[in-house]
Amino acid sequence: MKKNLISIVILALLIVNIVLTAIMMFSVTGTSRKTAALVDNIATALNLELEANGNGEEAQEVVVPMSDIATYDISEKMTIPLKVEQDADGNDGDPHFFIAVVTLSMNTKDKDYKTYGSEEAMQSRESLIKSEINDIIGQYTVDEARNNQDQIRAEILERIQKMFESEFIFNVAFSDIMIQ
């Protein structure tokens, strides 16, 4: 008789547990839906979207098949002086440098690739490209250069595309980066 009584108590506790779990699940599900709707409304109100260049235009990622990509490496490793930080007393800090090999990715199927994309054409304009790269990277302090490399690449790409008045160059990459 004792075993049957214990079995009945266990069964009753099991049913109570199932009922309480179901109540808790429905209450948490409703609350999480309301929270998700609130976050969605706030994001919509603030118009939070991922932006490539921060000026309200949506990012357009160029997808080029590997067979249509040609690269151009700037002939030598670039050493670019970074903007000098001033401390609270107005004293200039130590000079810092951004050292990297810069590679430009070009779309061989673009209409302007035949005009500008040849090795000779790129070499003849290399000093102009280096000047644009120096101007952009030189605006950053050492901490900004470390933390904003994607933004630096995007700015360089935008300036080079503007310089060529074409988008046949679709990516800028850094390798062997050293910031000191």
Side-chain angles (χ1 to χ4, degrees), residues 107-170:
N107 182 356
T108 60
K109 298 294 184 189
D110 192 280
K111 62 184 182 333
D112 292 325
Y113 176 76
K114 290 182 175 104
T115 307
Y116 300 119
S118 70
E119 188 77 22
E120 298 82 30
M122 291 301 288
Q123 284 176 349
S124 68
R125 292 171 179 84
E126 186 172 305
S127 60
L128 296 172
I129 295 169
K130 284 182 176 181
S131 174
E132 296 294 331
I133 294 169
N134 279 325
D135 287 347
I136 292 168
I137 295 177
Q139 296 173 4
Y140 289 89
T141 62
V142 65
D143 293 330
E144 293 170 341
R146 280 192 185 112
N147 298 328
N148 299 322
Q149 290 184 20
D150 289 337
Q151 181 180 346
I152 292 171
R153 283 188 199 101
E155 286 181 41
I156 291 171
L157 179 62
E158 183 180 327
R159 291 267 291 267
I160 290 174
Q161 287 177 340
K162 189 182 289 185
M163 180 176 72
F164 282 102
E165 296 178 351
S166 175
E167 294 183 357
F168 79 99
I169 296 175
F170 67 92

Side-chain angles (χ1 to χ4, degrees), residues 58-127:
E58 286 197 30
Q60 290 182 333
E61 187 173 321
V62 178
V63 179
V64 178
M66 285 300 287
S67 60
D68 297 338
I69 296 175
T71 60
Y72 178 75
D73 295 326
I74 301 295
S75 62
E76 55 194 43
K77 196 178 263 194
M78 294 185 68
T79 303
I80 303 164
L82 295 169
K83 183 175 159 184
V84 178
E85 295 181 86
Q86 292 186 347
D87 60 13
D89 299 332
N91 298 327
D92 290 338
D94 296 329
H96 295 282
F97 296 93
F98 183 94
I99 304 167
V101 174
V102 180
T103 302
L104 306 175
S105 299
M106 301 176 286
N107 182 356
T108 60
K109 298 294 184 189
D110 192 280
K111 62 184 182 333
D112 292 325
Y113 176 76
K114 290 182 175 104
T115 307
Y116 300 119
S118 70
E119 188 77 22
E120 298 82 30
M122 291 301 288
Q123 284 176 349
S124 68
R125 292 171 179 84
E126 186 172 305
S127 60

Side-chain angles (χ1 to χ4, degrees), residues 10-80:
I10 291 173
L11 181 64
L13 289 174
L14 183 65
I15 292 172
V16 169
N17 188 14
I18 291 172
V19 169
L20 290 176
T21 302
I23 292 170
M24 185 176 67
M25 188 175 79
F26 287 117
S27 66
V28 169
T29 303
T31 305
S32 68
R33 282 189 197 146
K34 290 176 186 175
T35 304
L38 177 66
V39 169
D40 191 37
N41 289 340
I42 291 171
T44 302
L46 296 176
N47 194 19
L48 294 177
E49 294 182 25
L50 294 176
E51 297 177 351
N53 51 14
N55 62 5
E57 297 176 8
E58 286 197 30
Q60 290 182 333
E61 187 173 321
V62 178
V63 179
V64 178
M66 285 300 287
S67 60
D68 297 338
I69 296 175
T71 60
Y72 178 75
D73 295 326
I74 301 295
S75 62
E76 55 194 43
K77 196 178 263 194
M78 294 185 68
T79 303
I80 303 164

